[in-house]
């Protein structure tokens, strides 16, 4: 099934509604429940990130990749700053599970820096392979299809 048709289906509505309810219940139960959920979620997301990394590297080496296009420096800066600013709202949420305000600040900065340095280049490679910024098309272009997009979307 194509990603866009799946996302428009009743099954996707039920899946994502269910995931939202589970996430709400976990957070409602408090820090211990969040820590237990992270034991599953963090390795799952690392596995998805590793698969995405391998797929993007393969796609970049493919002769079928689209030609390199340029982006204005200011537009690139806007993308990078916009990503960071969109996550700044989460800072207050993350810090309630840390032992100290300084520890929370360091953890949030380190996590944002690491994911930015890792995932932004992969996004650029997937965009180049797909020729569009549609996430579904990008996952298809690097060979992950729906299976690659669903864990990232949830």
């Amino acid at each position: 099934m194509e990603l866009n048709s799946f996302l428009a289906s009743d099954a996707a509505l039920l899946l994502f509604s269910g995931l939202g309810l589970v996430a709400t219940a976990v957070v409602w139960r408090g820090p211990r429940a969040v820590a237990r959920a992270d034991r599953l979620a963090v390795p799952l997301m690392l596995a998805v990130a590793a698969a995405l990394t391998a797929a993007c590297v393969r796609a970049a080496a493919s002769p079928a990749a689209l030609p390199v296009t340029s982006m204005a420096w200011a537009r690139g800066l806007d993308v990078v700053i916009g990503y960071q600013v969109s996550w700044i709202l989460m800072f207050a949420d993350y810090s309630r599970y840390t032992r100290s305000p300084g520890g929370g600040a360091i953890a949030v900065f380190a996590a944002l820096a690491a994911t930015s340095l890792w995932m932004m280049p992969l996004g650029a490679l997937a965009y180049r392979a797909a020729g569009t910024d549609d996430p579904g098309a990008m996952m298809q272009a690097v060979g992950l299809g729906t299976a690659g997009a669903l864990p990232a979307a949830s």
Side-chain angles (χ1 to χ4, degrees):
M1 175 182 276
E2 184 180 302
L3 180 62
N4 290 336
S5 62
F6 172 76
L7 292 176
S9 71
D10 290 338
L13 177 65
L14 289 173
L15 173 68
F16 293 125
S17 296
L19 287 172
L21 290 172
V22 168
T24 301
V26 167
V27 172
W28 179 72
R29 295 198 66 203
R32 285 192 181 131
V34 170
R36 282 193 303 273
D38 281 348
R39 289 185 190 130
L40 173 67
V42 170
L44 176 62
M45 292 307 294
L46 284 173
V48 170
L52 180 60
T53 300
C56 286
V57 168
R58 275 193 311 273
S62 169
L66 297 172
V68 177
T69 58
S70 64
M71 176 187 286
W73 185 85
R75 176 73 176 133
L77 184 63
D78 177 57
V79 168
V80 172
I81 290 173
Y83 173 78
Q84 302 301 332
V85 169
S86 70
W87 276 95
I88 202 72
L89 299 173
M90 300 298 179
F91 183 78
D93 190 44
Y94 292 147
S95 63
R96 70 180 166 154
Y97 296 116
T98 59
R99 292 190 175 119
S100 71
I106 290 169
V108 169
F109 176 80
L112 283 173
T115 56
S116 295
L117 293 171
W118 185 4
M119 293 293 141
M120 285 186 179
L122 296 182
L125 290 173
Y127 171 84
R128 183 172 170 223
T132 179
D133 60 359
D134 172 29
M138 291 165 68
M139 291 298 107
Q140 294 283 21
V142 298
L144 292 179
T146 305
L150 287 180
S154 59

